[in-house]
Amino acid sequence: PVSTTNNKQHTNNITMGACNAAGNIFRLIIVVGTVICLAMQSRAQTSCDFAVYKEDNTQGIGLWYLMVNDVCATEMYDPEEADPFITAARTSLSLAMLLGAIGGLLVTFEWCCCQVCCAGCVEMSCYMGACFLSAGGFAMIGCELCVGIGFDSVTAEGAQEAIQDGNMCDIGPGGTLNAVATVGYLAVAILLCCTPEPDPIMKQ
């Protein structure tokens, strides 16, 4: 009986060690993935080519800067009050980066130091929120600079007009980075949900 108990304990130790090893690898992927997503969105935030004009791709629109003849302006531009799409895109991406950073910090803290009650739910909410808000950044395509008409508010008419062929803009390199980051947040959230959670490194 003693031998059987020892064998079971040994098997449990091996299983726990394997789960911790796998969990450590996946947590590393999650943390690195979060950093990459944040870096891409930081680049998208400061780019001047989030959207480019279809007829002349040397002219572009960023969240904060404009591009003229392939040269980025050094001064931020102010969207007109009557055009809320740019403001909505700026707010969405800023909040997405904030939520992504919070999620990444919580995952890192739990992985390295100690587990926190309900942290998994908060982390998942942060990553999914970052995913949806990142997608909200593409409201940029509905702005007056792309559509060519003004709107007093975000309306169904404005959204419909933005997706018609008459829209003058295409997604530029900055927008592509944001799209990849959006998918990245979703992938990180799936990994967080479906992979084993290791014991904190300090307690392994």
Side-chain angles (χ1 to χ4, degrees):
V2 175
S3 177
T4 302
T5 302
N6 289 337
N7 287 336
K8 288 183 178 179
Q9 185 175 2
H10 181 65
T11 302
N12 289 337
N13 289 338
I14 293 176
T15 303
M16 183 63 68
C19 287
N20 279 332
N24 286 334
I25 292 172
F26 284 117
R27 282 302 185 272
L28 178 61
I29 294 173
I30 289 171
V31 171
V32 172
T34 301
V35 172
I36 292 173
C37 288
L38 289 171
M40 287 190 292
Q41 285 201 309
S42 177
R43 169 66 178 82
Q45 278 265 31
T46 57
S47 72
C48 57
D49 53 9
F50 194 95
V52 294
Y53 285 104
K54 294 178 181 178
E55 296 183 357
D56 183 5
N57 60 12
T58 65
Q59 314 292 324
I61 308 166
L63 294 177
W64 301 95
Y65 302 97
L66 298 176
M67 179 175 72
V68 180
N69 296 326
D70 267 337
V71 178
C72 288
T74 57
E75 295 184 1
M76 298 180 184
Y77 70 94
D78 292 323
E80 297 181 5
E81 293 181 1
D83 185 2
F85 289 91
I86 294 175
T87 302
R90 289 178 175 181
T91 303
S92 290
L93 256 68
S94 297
L95 289 175
M97 291 184 68
L98 177 61
L99 288 178
I102 292 173
L105 288 173
L106 280 174
V107 169
T108 303
F109 179 79
E110 277 206 304
W111 179 32
C112 295
C113 301
C114 66
Q115 295 178 344
V116 180
C117 178
C118 300
C121 294
V122 176
E123 293 158 5
M124 179 63 69
S125 298
C126 285
Y127 283 126
M128 291 307 298
C131 177
F132 288 120
L133 286 168
S134 295
F138 291 102
M140 183 81 178
I141 303 302
C143 73
E144 183 179 352
L145 293 173
C146 281
V147 179
I149 56 177
F151 302 104
D152 292 329
S153 62
V154 180
T155 63
E157 177 187 357
Q160 183 178 2
E161 183 72 22
I163 61 176
Q164 292 178 354
D165 293 336
N167 190 290
M168 298 182 293
C169 293
D170 280 330
I171 300 297
T176 301
L177 284 175
N178 185 58
V180 175
T182 301
V183 176
Y185 284 129
L186 179 61
V188 165
I190 293 173
L191 282 176
L192 184 66
C193 177
C194 300
T195 56
E197 182 179 4
D199 293 329
I201 290 176
M202 294 179 63
K203 297 182 179 179
Q204 290 180 18

